[in-house]
Amino acid sequence: MTVSSLEPTTLKAGFHALSDTLRLQILELLRSQEYCVCDLCNLLEVSQSKLSFHLKTLKDANLIQSRQEGRWMYYSLNLAQFALLEQYLADYRRFTTLRPATPCENP
Amino acid sequence: MTVSSLEPTTLKAGFHALSDTLRLQILELLRSQEYCVCDLCNLLEVSQSKLSFHLKTLKDANLIQSRQEGRWMYYSLNLAQFALLEQYLADYRRFTTLRPATPCENP
DNA sequence: CCTACCTATCAAGTTTTCTTGATAGGTTTA
DNA sequence: TAAACCTATCAAGAAAACTTGATAGGTAGG
């Protein structure tokens, strides 16, 4: 998947998922290792229901993935999606021309 | 400013600003040049009030900057802030260890 | 001055997102 | 199979974000 093929909806979902403090904390934790929901609940001191809601947001945005093992559900980062969003931002730096405005035609 | 010094509030505001279709369209337009508000209104076919609201969101997130010239207000990209958010995402790719979970201690 | 113009802000209403407590599905253990 | 456990989902309420129309401030031109 290339950056040029990025749907606006993909960007919207991805950046929205990143725009919440708790979700950023979840991602920070997952940087070191996989965690199951109950571990994340304990580490972040939030309710299981709340955590599931935010994990779903992150998963829908494709930023994390899940793997079931017995009754546990383990979550981990999907770095490919991070790279995609990173590339989108990088293209601003690479392919932007900071031209001054052509004077507005209004009176 | 380094990535490690990024406040969660900076990230939150930045990614939130990027999580809206109209705001992404504004940013795309500003890639080619500065624009005044009335030009953006015409190009995007949205009300002036609505546009001001979203421009404020982008400016509060430091993704754009403004410059007054007579009665016109010109907006342009602040690429430094794009680079900051890009770097934050890049660090996930660079400094993440995808360790499998240590088995959950629960019964 | 007085008017026209560009833009920001405000208040009120609407929509979206988030939180909370309860419930249900699926898995393991006894 | 019964009970305990982990997690996802649901419904209802709360909070945040967005939209809309109106207004006000500042600038330029007549």
Side-chain angles (χ1 to χ4, degrees):
Chain A
M1 192 178 193
T2 69
V3 171
S4 59
S5 75
L6 273 178
E7 297 291 334
T9 167
T10 300
L11 296 171
K12 191 178 156 176
F15 290 132
H16 170 253
L18 291 168
S19 69
D20 175 88
T21 307
L22 179 55
R23 290 195 289 266
L24 288 175
Q25 290 178 305
I26 294 171
L27 295 174
E28 286 295 335
L29 284 175
L30 293 180
R31 282 178 80 149
S32 63
Q33 64 170 77
E34 264 189 337
Y35 279 111
C36 65
V37 178
C38 58
D39 278 344
L40 291 171
C41 274
N42 294 334
L43 290 165
L44 295 168
E45 295 179 322
V46 296
S47 71
Q48 182 268 316
S49 165
K50 187 174 186 169
L51 196 53
S52 267
F53 172 84
H54 289 287
L55 287 171
K56 179 168 169 46
T57 301
L58 288 168
K59 189 172 180 190
D60 288 348
N62 207 21
L63 288 169
I64 62 175
Q65 52 211 339
S66 60
R67 163 178 80 82
Q68 186 169 6
E69 188 173 321
R71 24 186 189 193
W72 289 276
M73 188 70 80
Y74 288 100
Y75 284 93
S76 57
L77 298 184
N78 176 23
L79 290 181
Q81 192 70 8
F82 281 82
L84 220 61
L85 297 177
E86 173 195 345
Q87 191 60 47
Y88 175 78
L89 295 178
D91 283 357
Y92 270 88
R93 202 167 29 75
R94 297 169 60 205
F95 303 125
T96 295
T97 62
L98 289 182
R99 258 191 295 145
T102 50
C104 172
E105 309 85 6
N106 289 15
Chain B
M1 191 177 192
T2 69
V3 171
S4 59
S5 74
L6 274 178
E7 297 290 336
T9 167
T10 300
L11 295 171
K12 190 178 154 175
F15 290 130
H16 170 252
L18 291 168
S19 69
D20 175 88
T21 307
L22 178 56
R23 290 195 290 266
L24 289 175
Q25 290 178 306
I26 294 171
L27 295 175
E28 286 295 336
L29 284 175
L30 294 179
R31 282 178 80 148
S32 63
Q33 65 171 77
E34 266 189 335
Y35 280 111
C36 66
V37 178
C38 56
D39 278 343
L40 290 173
C41 274
N42 295 334
L43 290 167
L44 295 167
E45 296 179 318
V46 296
S47 72
Q48 182 268 316
S49 166
K50 186 174 186 170
L51 196 54
S52 268
F53 172 83
H54 289 286
L55 286 170
K56 180 167 167 49
T57 300
L58 288 167
K59 189 172 180 189
D60 288 349
N62 208 22
L63 288 170
I64 62 174
Q65 53 210 339
S66 60
R67 163 179 80 81
Q68 185 170 6
E69 188 173 320
R71 24 185 188 190
W72 289 276
M73 188 69 80
Y74 288 100
Y75 283 93
S76 57
L77 297 184
N78 176 21
L79 290 182
Q81 192 69 8
F82 281 82
L84 221 60
L85 298 178
E86 174 194 344
Q87 191 59 47
Y88 175 77
L89 295 179
D91 282 358
Y92 269 88
R93 203 167 28 77
R94 297 170 59 207
F95 304 125
T96 295
T97 62
L98 290 181
R99 257 190 296 145
T102 51
C104 171
E105 309 85 4
N106 288 14

